[in-house]
Amino acid sequence: MNINKYKLLTTLTLCFFTSISVLSQSNSLTSSPYSLYGLGTFNSTYTGKTSGIGSTGIANSSSTFINNLNPASLASIPLKTFFFDVGMKSEYGVQIDGGVKETKNVANFSNMAFAFPLSAKSGVSVTLIPYTNVGYSLSNIETDIEGTTSSFISDIDGSGGINSLKLNYGYSLLDNLSVGATGSVLFGQIIENEVNYIGSNVLTIYDSNSYSGFQFGAGVQYEPIKDVTVGAVVTFPSLIGGDKETTVSQYYDDQIEYTDDLDDFKLPLEVGFGIQKRFLDQVNVAIDYRMKYWSKTDQTDELGTFVDQNMLALGVEFAPSANPLKFWNNVEYRAGFNYDSGNLEIDNKKIYNYGANIGIGIPLSYDGLSMLNLAYTYGKKGQIYDGLIQENYHLLTLNISLAGQWFVKRKIQ
């Protein structure tokens, strides 16, 4: 192993553990009021170019970027090549509750990943990415005091989320068939601070909920004919356990602290299918469908019911590439659309989500592997109905995707 590779591995390791610290303490990856439910809203940003092509990727390869949606794709990483990806996001949301509008903006680090081949037929990636995000703020909530005609007012804030530290492995069984396996360590903290105004008294309840668990899955990719790839993924059911530390304090009084175990949160079976078609070596079209069987978990939230979740995504990418020596011929143009039926039902109404996006890949090297991936998404979540909130959001994601080579001897002429 040469000195350059030592430097590279040292840099990646330092960046990776720094990212774990930053991401695990992050509390501003979302401002959605719907992050109040369950473990929060599930992450909708990904590595590389994925966010710019409608979040499709089940049938995409990892030959030019890190595809975190199907472990089988890692078998396509070019030999002697490594990939590194770091992402950021900024979200501006307009929340409509009846005739009242409220705007919120959040921005933060969103992911880090690196990948490299183990052999000519296999590759591996390690990714740190949010699994769920929590970031809600509710004020002036009026609650009746049971047995009386009085009520009290509450302000509630929530932050944090669950992170996924994922290891993906892909292996090429045949020239047109690859399989893969994935394992994730899920961990994180969700904080809720509730301030109750009862007459002239102020009662504060501070909950620190720590979660951890494991998740496993598998994937396959197959190219039945030239320029057509199909893929499938499965994520197996798992349990997320944790404990809660609660601090109750009243103005001018001493604090009361106690610890309690949290009930296991059940994550459902998830299956997904995708297809990608390439036209004229310049256009890629991909369609993905995924389903999460939440109803099989037999669990409910205090404010809603978990229901099966359907997700459909469409992505298109155009890359001129007529003359790779010209800058603009290496620029990639992208667009996509996705629909999510939601996993919660409140008063027989699902909290659905849909978004449309455009993206661009700006080359940072002549080989087109290192890219500055920028994507913009406009979406809507929820609806204005009997106390529900509609959220219109603008999401901007930036992924710096770098590629390099190792084990390459320099030639001196």
Side-chain angles (χ1 to χ4, degrees), residues 82-125:
F82 69 88
F83 293 121
F84 174 75
D85 185 276
V86 61
M88 290 146 277
K89 64 176 286 188
S90 176
E91 181 178 305
Y92 174 79
V94 180
Q95 298 164 9
I96 306 173
D97 184 2
V100 180
K101 292 185 179 181
E102 183 178 0
T103 61
K104 292 187 178 181
N105 185 62
V106 295
N108 215 317
F109 166 88
S110 62
N111 74 267
M112 179 181 169
F114 61 88
F116 52 89
L118 295 179
S119 69
K121 291 189 174 183
S122 64
V124 65
S125 72

Side-chain angles (χ1 to χ4, degrees), residues 141-145 150-154 194-199:
I141 301 173
E142 186 174 358
T143 305
D144 294 331
I145 300 177
S150 302
S151 61
F152 64 92
I153 301 298
S154 302
E194 179 178 344
V195 181
N196 300 304
Y197 303 92
I198 308 172

Side-chain angles (χ1 to χ4, degrees), residues 7-8 46 94 101 121 124 129 137 162 170 173 190 217 232 271 292 330 376 384 390:
K7 290 181 178 179
L8 173 64
Y46 303 93
V94 180
K101 292 185 179 181
K121 291 189 174 183
V124 65
I129 198 166
S137 180
I162 309 299
L173 293 175
I190 296 175
V271 296
K292 296 184 178 181
N330 285 315
Y376 164 76
I384 304 174
Q390 178 176 301

Side-chain angles (χ1 to χ4, degrees), residues 65-76:
F65 76 106
I66 302 174
N67 177 15
N68 198 46
L69 294 181
N70 190 337
S73 70
L74 275 301
S76 62

Side-chain angles (χ1 to χ4, degrees), residues 17-219:
F17 283 105
T18 299
S19 301
I20 291 179
S21 176
V22 171
L23 190 54
S24 62
Q25 297 176 25
S26 173
N27 60 359
S28 57
L29 282 170
T30 185
S31 62
S32 174
Y34 290 110
S35 63
L36 169 68
Y37 303 99
L39 297 178
T41 58
F42 286 85
N43 180 51
S44 59
T45 58
Y46 303 93
T47 55
K49 66 176 75 173
T50 308
S51 297
I53 48 177
S55 299
T56 57
I58 295 177
N60 290 6
S61 74
S62 286
S63 59
T64 59
F65 76 106
I66 302 174
N67 177 15
N68 198 46
L69 294 181
N70 190 337
S73 70
L74 275 301
S76 62
I77 299 178
L79 198 60
K80 299 181 181 180
T81 301
F82 69 88
F83 293 121
F84 174 75
D85 185 276
V86 61
M88 290 146 277
K89 64 176 286 188
S90 176
E91 181 178 305
Y92 174 79
V94 180
Q95 298 164 9
I96 306 173
D97 184 2
V100 180
K101 292 185 179 181
E102 183 178 0
T103 61
K104 292 187 178 181
N105 185 62
V106 295
N108 215 317
F109 166 88
S110 62
N111 74 267
M112 179 181 169
F114 61 88
F116 52 89
L118 295 179
S119 69
K121 291 189 174 183
S122 64
V124 65
S125 72
V126 179
T127 305
L128 176 65
I129 198 166
Y131 187 73
T132 69
N133 300 315
V134 174
Y136 57 86
S137 180
L138 308 175
S139 59
N140 297 320
I141 301 173
E142 186 174 358
T143 305
D144 294 331
I145 300 177
E146 189 175 351
T148 71
T149 58
S150 302
S151 61
F152 64 92
I153 301 298
S154 302
D155 294 334
I156 305 175
D157 296 306
S159 62
I162 309 299
N163 304 307
S164 173
L165 180 57
K166 178 182 286 189
L167 174 66
N168 288 325
Y169 172 77
Y171 182 79
S172 178
L173 293 175
L174 303 171
D175 290 341
N176 62 345
L177 176 63
S178 299
V179 296
T182 180
S184 302
V185 178
L186 303 178
F187 65 97
Q189 190 176 60
I190 296 175
I191 303 296
E192 182 175 270
N193 189 51
E194 179 178 344
V195 181
N196 300 304
Y197 303 92
I198 308 172
S200 60
N201 295 321
V202 179
L203 180 68
T204 301
I205 303 174
Y206 180 87
D207 288 329
S208 175
N209 307 295
S210 298
Y211 293 92
S212 62
F214 299 93
Q215 194 174 47
F216 301 96

Side-chain angles (χ1 to χ4, degrees), residues 211-231:
Y211 293 92
S212 62
F214 299 93
Q215 194 174 47
F216 301 96
V220 61
Q221 288 186 342
Y222 176 60
E223 187 177 359
I225 58 175
K226 181 177 172 57
D227 293 332
V228 175
T229 305
V230 294

